[in-house]
């Protein structure tokens, strides 16, 4: 691995942990099946332009369950450098008591080629009153991926780093389409996959393991049929790398993440599907039980 770094900054190694967990939960955990494909691209998708999905995010500690915020995901067609591309946009914001503790307003955005090869990602954050931007450009060079990260705030550049790594590398947003396009018919219980994701100046290794089918209950009248996966994340921000997080994907043709859970230093972050619009297929994984 070759690294070109013009702005070393050791303090960035200690980034905000809760933000990382939430990002990994929302866009991040879905990096599951990147290694199912020989190339960093995808030709068939289960979603289309105009799709919108919203999530509720909670912080859980012992018996305490607090709503930390919400996230909204939108997919559309938007030109990138005068070329046709797919655009994925995620807006996250805290609310309630978390706004008083640590207010966050984050916008994450990715651009992909028509066959979903990652081209560019941007993360614009306002957290604790501080604004910063992290842009990553991805260039596939045969069997390698070149990632250029430019992380800055209004006063200075914090990271300007290029890393050349073997295989496919993605950001937190880019894995959504891969996880959602997994072929349930070809996956067996215990199957594991490995992938890489760019976080700051690091390339973090992740491994994903299929557990099997499961039912997720939202209340006594609402359930979802899902596929359950464990995620191993090899980064020192997590209390443990083995089964650091879990994700439950709706078992219908939309493959929407229904529930996500990540273990924190204290407690856990939990993400739940709330609503959606303009899906390509009926949400048949949803099971509504009539009230008596």
């Amino acid at each position: 691995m070759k690294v070109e770094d013009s702005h070393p900054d050791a303090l960035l190694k200690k980034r905000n942990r809760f933000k990382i967990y939430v990002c990994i939960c929302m866009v991040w955990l879905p990096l599951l099946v990147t290694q199912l494909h020989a190339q960093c691209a995808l030709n068939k998708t289960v979603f289309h332009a105009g799709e919108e999905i919203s999530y509720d995010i909670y912080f859980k500690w012992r018996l305490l369950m607090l709503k930390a915020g919400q996230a909204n995901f939108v997919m559309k067609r938007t030109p990138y450098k005068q070329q046709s591309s797919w655009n994925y946009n995620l807006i996250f914001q805290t609310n309630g008591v978390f706004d008083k503790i640590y207010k966050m307003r984050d916008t994450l955005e990715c651009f992909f080629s028509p066959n979903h090869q990652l081209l560019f990602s941007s993360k614009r954050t306002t957290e604790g009153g501080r604004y910063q931007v992290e842009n990553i450009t991805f260039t596939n060079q045969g069997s390698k991926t070149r990632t250029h990260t430019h992380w800055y705030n209004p006063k200075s550049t914090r990271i300007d780093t290029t890393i050349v790594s073997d295989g496919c590398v993605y950001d937190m947003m880019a894995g959504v389409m891969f996880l959602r396009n997994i072929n349930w018919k070809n996956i067996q219980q215990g199957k594991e996959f490995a992938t890489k994701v760019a976080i700051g100046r690091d390339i973090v290794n992740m491994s994903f393991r299929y557990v099997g089918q499961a039912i997720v209950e939202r209340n006594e009248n609402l359930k979802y049929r899902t596929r359950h996966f464990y995620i191993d994340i090899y980064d020192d921000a997590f209390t443990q790398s083995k089964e650091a997080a879990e994700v439950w994907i709706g078992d219908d043709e939309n493959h929407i993440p229904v529930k996500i859970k990540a273990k924190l230093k204290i407690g856990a972050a939990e993400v739940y599907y709330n609503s959606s619009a303009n899906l390509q297929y009926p949400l048949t994984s949803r099971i509504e039980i009539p009230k008596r």
Side-chain angles (χ1 to χ4, degrees):
M1 180 180 290
K2 179 182 178 182
V3 179
E4 303 166 7
D5 192 348
S6 59
H7 291 277
D9 185 357
L11 293 178
L12 287 174
K13 190 68 176 178
K14 301 298 181 182
R15 53 183 62 88
N16 183 277
R17 284 189 169 89
F18 182 74
K19 178 181 69 175
I20 293 175
Y21 299 136
V22 170
C23 289
I24 289 177
C25 282
M26 286 305 309
V27 255
W28 6 275
L29 299 179
L31 286 160
L32 171 61
V33 295
T34 54
Q35 296 304 313
L36 286 175
H37 308 274
Q39 298 178 346
C40 306
L42 187 64
N43 293 316
K44 184 179 180 180
T45 62
V46 299
F47 40 75
H48 56 208
E51 179 184 272
E52 300 180 16
I53 308 174
S54 66
Y55 292 90
D56 294 323
I57 301 175
Y58 295 85
F59 171 73
K60 186 175 183 180
W61 181 67
R62 295 183 179 178
L63 299 178
L64 187 65
M65 187 84 157
L66 296 175
K67 187 174 181 179
Q70 59 273 336
N72 296 292
F73 176 87
V74 178
M75 196 274 285
K76 56 187 177 180
R77 296 298 295 267
T78 303
Y80 174 73
K81 292 185 176 181
Q82 290 76 52
Q83 296 183 354
S84 175
S85 72
W86 292 98
N87 173 247
Y88 299 80
N89 182 280
L90 177 75
I91 298 176
F92 166 74
Q93 64 179 28
T94 53
N95 57 21
V97 65
F98 280 87
D99 254 0
K100 298 178 181 179
I101 297 173
Y102 196 78
K103 187 175 182 179
M104 298 170 63
R105 298 290 187 270
D106 294 358
T107 299
L108 294 83
E109 190 169 31
C110 285
F111 290 87
F112 301 83
S113 66
N115 66 346
H116 288 82
Q117 180 171 305
L118 181 58
L119 304 171
F120 177 79
S121 73
S122 177
K123 180 167 63 177
R124 302 180 296 278
T125 64
T126 301
E127 301 175 358
R130 297 187 299 272
Y131 176 77
Q132 62 183 15
V133 177
E134 180 181 6
N135 292 331
I136 309 177
T137 301
F138 298 81
T139 305
N140 294 113
Q141 302 173 327
S143 62
K144 299 181 181 295
T145 300
R146 183 178 186 269
T147 60
H148 174 231
T149 299
H150 184 205
W151 190 348
Y152 62 94
N153 57 40
K155 294 183 178 180
S156 63
T157 292
R158 302 192 66 188
I159 292 180
D160 191 349
T161 300
T162 296
I163 302 177
V164 179
S165 180
D166 292 330
C168 301
V169 179
Y170 304 90
D171 79 329
M172 292 298 187
M173 282 284 284
V176 175
M177 88 290 282
F178 291 104
L179 178 57
R180 292 182 59 189
N181 283 277
I182 191 171
N183 187 345
W184 296 151
K185 296 180 181 179
N186 296 331
I187 187 172
Q188 297 180 349
Q189 187 173 359
K191 179 68 175 179
E192 294 188 24
F193 309 92
T195 191
K196 299 175 183 178
V197 59
I199 304 177
R201 65 173 65 255
D202 303 319
I203 301 296
V204 175
N205 291 311
M206 296 184 183
S207 180
F208 306 86
R209 183 171 65 261
Y210 176 59
V211 181
Q213 295 176 301
I215 297 293
V216 171
E217 296 187 14
R218 290 298 287 126
N219 55 54
E220 61 181 7
N221 301 111
L222 180 59
K223 301 179 180 179
Y224 292 90
R225 294 181 293 103
T226 71
R227 300 289 182 130
H228 184 198
F229 299 88
Y230 278 122
I231 298 94
D232 301 329
I233 303 173
Y234 303 101
D235 185 79
D236 60 9
F238 287 80
T239 55
Q240 63 182 67
S241 61
K242 190 72 172 178
E243 299 178 6
E246 301 172 74
V247 59
W248 291 258
I249 306 299
D251 195 2
D252 59 35
E253 292 183 280
N254 296 293
H255 296 188
I256 292 176
V258 170
K259 176 183 177 181
I260 304 160
K261 181 178 180 180
K263 299 174 184 177
L264 310 180
K265 293 290 186 180
I266 300 177
E270 295 193 7
V271 179
Y272 290 91
Y273 166 80
N274 181 298
S275 63
S276 58
N278 303 317
L279 299 179
Q280 185 168 354
Y281 303 102
L283 194 65
T284 57
S285 61
R286 181 185 176 99
I287 304 171
E288 294 190 52
I289 303 173
K291 295 182 179 180
R292 296 181 179 180

